[in-house]
Amino acid sequence: MSLFHTLPIFLCIIFFTSTTTSTTLPPSSPSFPSGLSYHIDCGSPTNSTDQFNTTWLSDRYFSGGATGIVSEPLRFRHGHEKTLRFFPISSGKKNCYTIPNLPPSRYLLRTFVVYDNYDGRSHPPSFDVAIAATVVFSWRSPWPQSLARDGAYADLFATITASSEALICFYSFATDPPVVSSIELFAADPASYDAAAIGKNDSVLVNYGRLSCGSKQWGPGFSNDSDRFGRSWQSDSDFRTGRSKVRAMSTRSRISGTEQKPNYFPEKLYQTAATAEEGGGVLEYELSVDAKLDYLVWLHFAEIEERVRRVGERVFDVYINDDNLTRVDIYKQVGGFAAFTWHHTVKNLSSSVLSVKLVGVVGAPLICGIENYALVPSDPSTVPEQVVAMKALKDSLRVPERMGWNGDPCAPTNWDAWEGVTCRTSKNNTALVISQIDLGSQGLKGSISDQISLLSDLVSL
Ligand SMILES: *[C@@H]1O[C@H](CO)[C@@H](O)[C@H](O)[C@H]1NC(C)=O
Ligand SMILES: *[C@@H]1O[C@H](CO)[C@@H](O)[C@H](O)[C@H]1NC(C)=O
Ligand SMILES: *[C@@H]1O[C@H](CO)[C@@H](O)[C@H](O)[C@H]1NC(C)=O
Ligand SMILES: *[C@@H]1O[C@H](CO)[C@@H](O)[C@H](O)[C@H]1NC(C)=O
Ligand SMILES: *[C@@H]1O[C@H](CO)[C@@H](O)[C@H](O)[C@H]1NC(C)=O
Ligand SMILES: *[C@@H]1O[C@H](CO)[C@@H](O)[C@H](O)[C@H]1NC(C)=O
Ligand SMILES: *[C@@H]1O[C@H](CO)[C@@H](O)[C@H](O)[C@H]1NC(C)=O
């Protein structure tokens, strides 16, 4: 099952099927590489181990909702794809998974979303997904056909800081219950993908394409090949355009410079490549994107053809959206059978297609992999002590489930705040604060917690 859709409203979605090399619970080692990962089989009452030796945990860490089973289980290969959790309106508009005790780090988060008419209503839902305060996926009905049929994996890199928890929230539009079938989290190096130099530590990197050229799909969930960060790699064949004939190449030789800090790109990525058949040819790829965002593009190369043994024997130019950005001679950069990566931030897109074109100068161009991440700026969340105060208030008033008092009280700002709660941005514009609480119409009674004094911006209660 391999898909790549563009969703009409916000995000595009990707791919595959899951697994990893190890599952550790609870997290113990804060130093990277920790190998820490979680695999939650939403809707499942039992733990299980799949054919890639990944341990799936029974459903846990959710705020509410109910469990369901896809209507045609035989269509789905993996146990964790067949069960799901949905959040009916009686659980409130906003529901979350809160994965606790995570060492602060960068993490890869992967979700599998499926509908498959589990509720017999033939109506896939519209809903949003946020990590912490930032909306990252928007699923809108009607779903693209392949998504409606097979479900879809989507992933991103996000940083978890002092809060030590991953907050993954689902927001329902109208009466559609959001659905989720599995949630996975893998620790990644905090300095990965040039976090420091790009100064985008507080952006979420949403996967808009991760291709392994000249190869089938592989990685956690698809094969026993490992990837330290849990990245799965799709075949490039569906994304190639242009007229040149393309040849897939592969080698079993060792490739140097792989599996290295901070990105730990797997050796296997550089053992296959796509190259244009005739000398001086052109290799061209197109990825669907949302033109409103900026993108981080990583290209991977290795000279894996035995006959290229000198500087100047294979030279090509790299164009992104028709801008000539660099001239590459892999052999000159790193020699033969060694990994070479190049990355670039693409801004101010004018269309919903991002094109990567390699134009031969000497010999045919060659490429091993392409990654494309949308840089989604992190949105502000509620001041931490006010979150604590609101949780205390929720407990002391025994706020009913249907009011959806889950996750952050105010964020994401494009969602409604907790019912009865009004928020505004703090004076310095970096956080959200609670300005008003009105529970009068709810008939809630109870003692107001002392923590209410932490709500220093409250003007009315
Ligand atoms: C599943 O595994 C976890 C962690 O090993 C354990 O805490 C939990 O009790 C298990 N749950 C079930 C339903 O067996
Ligand atoms: C992956 O490895 C496990 C254990 O080595 C093996 O049982 C399983 O068949 C392998 N799966 C695939 C798809 O190769
Ligand atoms: C599967 O994982 C368990 C622990 O997670 C490990 O002890 C075992 O050796 C693994 N089996 C294979 C075939 O890799
Ligand atoms: C981003 O994170 C890295 C690693 O934690 C750190 O070294 C760097 O200073 C941070 N950069 C910014 C701009 O915050
Ligand atoms: C493309 O750009 C590179 C470096 O920026 C330059 O060396 C090369 O000559 C350019 N190619 C063309 C065809 O202009
Ligand atoms: C992108 O657009 C903004 C505003 O229109 C402009 O200030 C900026 O210089 C542009 N950046 C690039 C790389 O073209
Ligand atoms: C901004 O204001 C909030 C709430 O008043 C405060 O918690 C936070 O530390 C402030 N941030 C900065 C950067 O001053």
Side-chain angles (χ1 to χ4, degrees), residues 9-170:
I9 310 294
F10 185 40
L11 281 191
C12 129
I13 293 311
I14 327 250
F15 42 125
F16 9 65
T17 305
S18 48
T19 270
T20 184
T21 42
S22 68
T23 298
T24 321
L25 252 188
S28 49
S29 153
S31 66
F32 189 82
S34 64
L36 169 66
S37 66
Y38 280 91
H39 309 267
I40 299 170
D41 185 356
C42 306
S44 170
T46 53
N47 292 339
S48 60
T49 301
D50 69 13
Q51 81 242 51
F52 302 114
N53 203 29
T54 292
T55 302
W56 286 87
L57 297 171
S58 57
D59 202 0
R60 62 190 66 201
Y61 306 136
F62 48 82
S63 59
T67 63
I69 299 175
V70 293
S71 67
E72 291 185 58
L74 292 179
R75 184 191 293 160
F76 297 88
R77 279 189 301 158
H78 299 287
H80 69 265
E81 296 174 339
K82 302 178 197 210
T83 58
L84 56 87
R85 174 159 295 273
F86 65 98
F87 303 104
I89 203 69
S90 57
S91 299
K93 276 183 96 69
K94 178 173 170 183
N95 277 278
C96 304
Y97 275 76
T98 309
I99 303 175
N101 304 325
L102 294 169
S105 180
R106 208 169 219 190
Y107 287 86
L108 180 122
L109 168 77
R110 173 160 56 198
T111 60
F112 182 65
V113 164
V114 67
Y115 172 67
D116 193 39
N117 204 23
Y118 77 93
D119 59 358
R121 287 185 201 159
S122 304
H123 179 63
S126 292
F127 64 96
D128 274 357
V129 184
I131 174 136
T134 308
V135 177
V136 287
F137 305 126
S138 288
W139 305 98
R140 290 292 179 274
S141 190
W143 289 13
Q145 205 189 346
S146 56
L147 166 60
R149 190 184 151 76
D150 297 326
Y153 287 89
D155 75 45
L156 56 82
F157 284 98
T159 299
I160 290 171
T161 51
S163 66
S164 301
E165 62 183 30
L167 189 59
I168 303 136
C169 296
F170 299 82

Side-chain angles (χ1 to χ4, degrees), residues 190-191 195-196 199-201:
K200 291 284 185 186
N201 281 11

